[in-house]
């Protein structure tokens, strides 16, 4: 027998993998079979994690599990994304995962004109913090209005109104709050990662584009629909169309 000894330098890396499995179970399934379904789900997720830990150029990274509700599926679709590169603190953003998301859109047959798989689109199984109402229109009793047409928003939004956040904007903050409510829709649907702007952010944006004088910033001056559209154009590059009805 021949014994060969080749000294080499090796390195071990430890990654913490947080398993998060959603399983589709029949109501009448015996309890003893549930463990088998969960075991299969965990095994499949660990394989997906193994593939996701290798980022571009061979870099190792941790992973994160997300569940996405899709319009064509009865059960959320689970996706494992690369999360944080080894040795770094910043997480990978949705823009860096664009190529991965495009591939998933093709695989799942999803349209490419709206985001479905951004991290903000994930299914949240925990209750909101309660600071704002989400989709309050769903709890409003429907009443018939002669000649009226019911129009409901598609997707989720947060309801912003006077006096929230311990900020006194009574009698002058209606359009600011309307802008924040609209912005929350873009945020919750995954069209933007930018946080909802404050009153001061909105005022500063109007000054920056030359629509208002610098004295607006920090004031209690009200704004209207035109200023709301100007802010969306400047802060989010969303073009607002006006329809004048007579």
């Amino acid at each position: 027998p021949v014994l060969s000894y080749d000294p080499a330098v090796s390195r071990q890396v430890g990654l913490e993998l947080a398993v998060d499995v959603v399983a589709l179970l029949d109501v009448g399934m015996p309890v003893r079979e549930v463990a088998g379904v969960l075991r299969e789900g965990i095994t499949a997720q660990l394989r997906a994690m193994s593939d996701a830990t290798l980022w571009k150029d061979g870099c190792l990274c941790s992973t994160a599990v997300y569940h996405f509700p899709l319009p064509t599926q009865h059960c959320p679709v689970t996706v494992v994304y690369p999360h944080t590169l080894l040795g770094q603190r910043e997480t990978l953003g949705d823009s860096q995962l664009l190529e991965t998301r495009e591939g998933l859109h093709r695989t799942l047959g999803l349209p490419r004109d709206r985001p479905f798989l951004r991290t903000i689109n994930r299914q949240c199984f925990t209750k909101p913090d309660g600071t704002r109402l989400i989709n309050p229109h769903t709890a409003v009793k429907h009443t018939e209005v002669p000649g009226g047409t019911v129009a409901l928003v598609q997707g989720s939004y947060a309801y912003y109104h006077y006096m929230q956040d311990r900020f006194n904007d009574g009698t002058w903050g209606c359009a600011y709050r309307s802008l924040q409510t609209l912005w929350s829709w873009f945020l919750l649907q995954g069209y933007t990662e930018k946080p909802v702007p404050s009153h001061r952010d909105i005022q500063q944006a109007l000054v920056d584009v030359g629509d208002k004088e610098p004295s607006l910033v920090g004031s209690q001056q009200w704004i209207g629909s035109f200023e709301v559209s100007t802010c969306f154009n400047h802060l989010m590059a969303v073009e607002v169309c006006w329809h004048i009805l007579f």
Side-chain angles (χ1 to χ4, degrees):
V2 177
L3 180 63
S4 178
Y5 172 67
D6 295 322
V9 177
S10 63
R11 184 166 67 102
Q12 293 182 341
V13 177
L15 289 176
E16 182 176 340
L17 302 178
V19 177
D20 186 357
V21 175
V22 172
L24 185 62
L25 305 174
D26 187 88
V27 176
M29 177 178 290
V31 177
R32 63 179 180 274
E33 296 181 11
V34 174
V37 176
L38 292 176
R39 182 169 56 249
E40 292 177 3
I42 292 173
T43 302
Q45 191 167 110
L46 288 174
R47 291 197 183 100
M49 286 180 169
S50 177
D51 296 335
T53 53
L54 193 60
W55 186 236
K56 298 176 181 179
D57 301 325
C59 297
L60 290 176
C61 62
S62 62
T63 60
V65 180
Y66 300 98
H67 310 288
F68 297 99
L70 301 180
T72 57
Q73 304 290 330
H74 297 292
C75 184
V77 172
T78 300
V79 177
V80 179
Y81 281 146
H83 188 253
T84 307
L85 295 179
L86 193 65
Q88 298 186 15
R89 294 183 178 180
E90 294 185 3
T91 59
L92 297 173
D94 283 316
S95 58
Q96 295 168 287
L97 298 172
L98 176 61
E99 186 176 338
T100 302
R101 290 189 289 109
E102 287 180 337
L104 290 170
H105 269 247
R106 290 191 295 268
T107 301
L108 297 172
L110 297 173
R112 299 183 60 187
D113 60 347
R114 57 179 294 190
F116 288 99
L117 301 174
R118 289 191 175 189
T119 55
I120 191 65
N121 299 123
R122 67 187 181 275
Q123 178 75 54
C124 294
F125 296 100
T126 57
K127 294 182 179 180
D129 58 11
T131 56
R132 304 188 204 287
L133 295 174
I134 303 296
N135 295 346
H137 70 275
T138 58
V140 176
K141 184 179 180 181
H142 175 63
T143 57
E144 294 291 341
V145 177
T149 301
V150 177
L152 298 180
V153 65
Q154 184 182 45
S156 298
Y157 65 94
Y159 179 43
Y160 286 75
H161 57 80
Y162 289 129
M163 313 299 284
Q164 277 184 333
D165 310 314
R166 297 183 179 180
F167 185 78
N168 186 356
D169 59 348
T171 73
W172 62 274
C174 57
Y176 293 90
R177 298 298 187 175
S178 296
L179 186 154
Q180 292 174 330
T181 299
L182 291 170
W183 192 289
S184 73
W185 183 90
F186 284 92
L187 182 64
L188 293 176
Q189 266 52 246
Y191 286 104
T192 184
E193 297 178 7
K194 296 180 179 179
V196 176
S198 65
H199 291 59
R200 192 177 188 88
D201 294 333
I202 295 169
Q203 293 173 340
Q204 187 62 55
L206 293 172
V207 173
D208 291 342
V209 298
D211 182 72
K212 300 294 181 184
E213 296 295 327
S215 58
L216 174 70
V217 180
S219 72
Q220 296 183 359
Q221 181 178 336
W222 62 269
I223 61 174
S225 301
F226 179 78
E227 286 82 5
V228 170
S229 65
T230 300
C231 284
F232 271 104
N233 193 316
H234 177 63
L235 297 175
M236 202 190 291
V238 171
E239 186 174 347
V240 178
C241 297
W242 287 80
H243 297 275
I244 302 177
L245 304 177
F246 295 95

